Amino acid sequence: MTAQSSEFPTTAIPQADDSSCGNESEVTTALICDTPLLRSGLQHILSGTPFVIAEEGLTADPRPVSGKAQEPALVILTVNQPSSCTPEMVRQVKERHPAARIVVLAKQFDLEFVQQGLEAGVNGFCLTDNSREVLITSLELVMLGESMLPGTVVRSIIGSMASSPGPESAGEIADEPKAPDPGARSLSAREAEILSSLMEGTPNKVIARKLHVTEA
């Protein structure tokens, strides 16, 4: 499932009203981000949503600094450019918070990184240039158990599957030389002609007259 536009409903996680227990709808969130401007932007975006930032940390040391004595249900990890070090950071986060869902934010993703990230424990991939609505909806769907991929990555996967031929196309199978039949090679030209006539149901006498041979 992918989040490509802002037309998704944003009611997957209900908002709490004043008459209900506010803590019931809160998703304790840990934010791991090196860029102060991006961190401030995410704090502003998540303000007023169920995703309450309770912990913050740096990607150089992905151990969130506790703001509340509460295990995070969601960890948002932002990276300027996904690298071979990112999956290892994800594993470290997963070791410290095994029950938490993990979402990675970056400007772009390639297929190799997505595969490595999934193996490390990433539950969702979001692009930093998405709209606020797409980001919030993606986080909600991740908390509901979905795995999120950007539409650009999904289109790339579909494109690569369509462009890569199968192991053997029909044409290749048709053109492939067949192994000779030893039985057919042992027949002479006249024997092959007689056999062909027999397969057509021609009587022996007719075949003999046609080929000017004895019936025996």
Side-chain angles (χ1 to χ4, degrees), residues 36-120:
L37 186 60
L38 180 56
R39 183 166 59 249
S40 298
L42 287 172
Q43 291 171 341
H44 176 72
I45 288 173
L46 298 179
S47 176
T49 72
F51 304 99
V52 178
I53 299 178
E55 299 180 355
E56 294 186 1
L58 303 175
T59 56
D61 183 15
R63 291 178 292 183
V65 179
S66 295
K68 292 182 180 179
Q70 188 174 358
E71 184 71 13
L74 172 67
V75 176
I76 300 176
L77 172 63
T78 67
V79 291
N80 293 327
Q81 182 68 34
S83 66
S84 58
C85 299
T86 309
E88 180 57 32
M89 289 190 290
V90 173
R91 292 187 186 95
Q92 293 179 27
V93 172
K94 199 68 177 176
E95 288 175 0
R96 295 185 177 93
H97 308 292
R101 309 284 288 177
I102 300 177
V103 173
V104 175
L105 267 68
K107 186 175 182 180
Q108 61 183 11
F109 299 102
D110 58 37
L111 297 182
E112 182 179 0
F113 175 79
V114 168
Q115 182 178 1
Q116 293 174 351
L118 290 172
E119 292 173 354

Side-chain angles (χ1 to χ4, degrees), residues 1-215:
M1 183 175 292
T2 62
Q4 293 178 297
S5 66
S6 59
E7 298 177 357
F8 295 96
T10 57
T11 56
I13 298 178
Q15 298 281 353
D17 54 31
D18 294 337
S19 61
S20 64
C21 231
N23 292 332
E24 291 181 358
S25 64
E26 288 186 358
V27 178
T28 304
T29 304
L31 175 60
I32 301 175
C33 180
D34 281 344
T35 308
L37 186 60
L38 180 56
R39 183 166 59 249
S40 298
L42 287 172
Q43 291 171 341
H44 176 72
I45 288 173
L46 298 179
S47 176
T49 72
F51 304 99
V52 178
I53 299 178
E55 299 180 355
E56 294 186 1
L58 303 175
T59 56
D61 183 15
R63 291 178 292 183
V65 179
S66 295
K68 292 182 180 179
Q70 188 174 358
E71 184 71 13
L74 172 67
V75 176
I76 300 176
L77 172 63
T78 67
V79 291
N80 293 327
Q81 182 68 34
S83 66
S84 58
C85 299
T86 309
E88 180 57 32
M89 289 190 290
V90 173
R91 292 187 186 95
Q92 293 179 27
V93 172
K94 199 68 177 176
E95 288 175 0
R96 295 185 177 93
H97 308 292
R101 309 284 288 177
I102 300 177
V103 173
V104 175
L105 267 68
K107 186 175 182 180
Q108 61 183 11
F109 299 102
D110 58 37
L111 297 182
E112 182 179 0
F113 175 79
V114 168
Q115 182 178 1
Q116 293 174 351
L118 290 172
E119 292 173 354
V122 177
N123 303 107
F125 302 83
C126 296
L127 298 173
T128 53
D129 59 358
N130 277 340
S131 66
R132 178 182 185 273
E133 291 77 10
V134 169
L135 175 61
I136 298 302
T137 300
S138 298
L139 297 180
E140 290 176 344
L141 291 172
V142 166
M143 294 309 300
L144 289 173
E146 298 292 343
S147 296
M148 299 300 299
L149 281 176
T152 53
V153 176
V154 174
R155 287 191 293 271
S156 178
I157 294 174
I158 295 174
S160 63
M161 292 174 61
S163 61
S164 59
E168 287 184 341
S169 64
E172 291 173 340
I173 294 174
D175 296 335
E176 184 179 349
K178 297 180 180 179
D181 184 354
R185 289 171 55 189
S186 65
L187 295 177
S188 65
R190 177 55 60 88
E191 289 170 338
E193 192 174 2
I194 293 172
L195 179 60
S196 177
S197 298
L198 288 172
M199 292 175 64
E200 293 173 359
T202 307
N204 290 348
K205 290 183 179 180
V206 176
I207 296 174
R209 286 198 300 268
K210 178 182 177 182
L211 301 179
H212 306 288
V213 296
T214 63
E215 188 173 345

